């Protein structure tokens, strides 16, 4: 290998790591907000080692909820679901990290809290499918679309923190 100064190797490593990073959209639904679970939910993502790069609290309009859940428009629960999502403040977040889209879904647990494993957010903190407290993107395309729907580009940050070298090595 070429004799690069240590700083150059570190830069290459950081660049390689940055290329691996993904982002996902996570929302704490109105039931999670009302039940005082914001900090609990954020804490689970934060302790894992994922990085919070955007956060805001918003009351989605019914029309906005319909856009967010457009893929479910034929389902019988669609209207109730959109009424529910627009019933009060929700917390919109973007989390970043290696594998965060897929692993975020693991942290969240199965859609129906009766089927979510204990140890997952829905498994530990929710009981019924219509009040399952949290949303998470289900794939890279959805993540991109949902981030664009919920957040303006200037609401997204990009930063490195000192813990990263201990989280990723
Ligand atoms: P997920 O949120 O786990 O990605 P889906 O995309 O299938 O799950 O559904 C979106 C949301 O619609 C669920 O989180 C839940 O709030 C609601 N939902 C799904 N199935 C039902 C159902 N049978 N009855 C009521 N609400 C439902």
């Amino acid at each position: 290998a070429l004799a690069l100064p240590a700083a150059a190797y570190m830069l290459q490593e950081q660049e390689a790591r940055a290329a691996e990073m993904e982002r996902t959209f996570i929302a704490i639904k109105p039931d999670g907000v009302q039940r005082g679970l914001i900090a609990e939910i954020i804490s689970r993502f934060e302790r894992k080692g994922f990085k919070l790069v955007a956060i805001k609290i918003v009351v989605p309009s019914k029309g906005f909820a319909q856009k967010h859940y457009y893929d479910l428009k034929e389902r019988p629960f669609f209207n109730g679901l959109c009424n529910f999502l627009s019933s009060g403040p929700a917390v919109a977040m973007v989390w970043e990290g290696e594998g965060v889209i897929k692993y975020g879904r693991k942290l969240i647990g199965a859609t129906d809290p009766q089927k979510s494993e204990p140890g997952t957010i829905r498994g530990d903190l929710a009981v019924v499918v219509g009040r399952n407290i949290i949303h998470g993107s289900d794939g890279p395309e959805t993540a991109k679309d949902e981030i664009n729907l919920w957040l303006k580009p200037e609401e997204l940050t990009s930063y490195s923190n000192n813990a990263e070298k201990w989280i990723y090595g």
Side-chain angles (χ1 to χ4, degrees):
L2 291 172
L4 285 175
Y9 278 118
M10 279 176 64
L11 204 64
Q12 283 184 332
E13 240 172 61
Q14 280 169 11
E15 279 163 5
R17 187 187 297 152
E20 301 281 311
M21 288 303 168
E22 340 182 292
R23 290 181 165 193
T24 194
F25 175 72
I26 301 290
I28 303 172
K29 297 179 185 179
D31 51 344
V33 173
Q34 293 298 327
R35 292 181 52 205
L37 296 172
I38 298 171
E40 167 75 35
I41 291 169
I42 288 178
S43 171
R44 289 179 182 224
F45 279 83
E46 198 176 37
R47 284 182 302 174
K48 167 72 176 168
F50 294 138
K51 192 200 289 180
L52 184 60
V53 295
I55 182 167
K56 67 177 174 183
I57 187 157
V58 281
V59 183
S61 68
K62 175 104 185 248
F64 187 89
Q66 288 165 335
K67 261 190 216 165
H68 173 75
Y69 279 129
Y70 184 78
D71 289 348
L72 299 173
K73 63 183 184 306
E74 309 297 345
R75 308 298 288 276
F77 55 83
F78 180 68
N79 192 50
L81 176 61
C82 294
N83 283 336
F84 165 60
L85 187 65
S86 56
S87 66
V91 177
M93 300 180 281
V94 178
W95 286 88
E96 185 181 283
E98 244 181 76
V100 70
I101 300 173
K102 214 170 170 188
Y103 205 88
R105 297 276 296 184
K106 277 196 186 183
L107 288 177
I108 289 170
T111 304
D112 181 353
Q114 296 285 341
K115 296 180 181 140
S116 317
E117 295 297 325
T120 64
I121 291 167
R122 286 168 174 165
D124 289 349
L125 306 169
V127 184
V128 299
V129 70
R131 297 292 183 272
N132 63 4
I133 70 169
I134 182 166
H135 167 84
S137 307
D138 62 8
E141 285 309 309
T142 337
K144 213 171 288 171
D145 292 348
E146 291 175 350
I147 290 169
N148 288 335
L149 177 66
W150 285 78
L151 294 126
K152 302 186 188 104
E154 64 267 27
E155 291 173 325
L156 296 162
T157 63
S158 184
Y159 60 96
S160 57
N161 64 39
N162 283 322
E164 265 159 65
K165 57 177 176 277
W166 299 106
I167 293 166
Y168 294 101

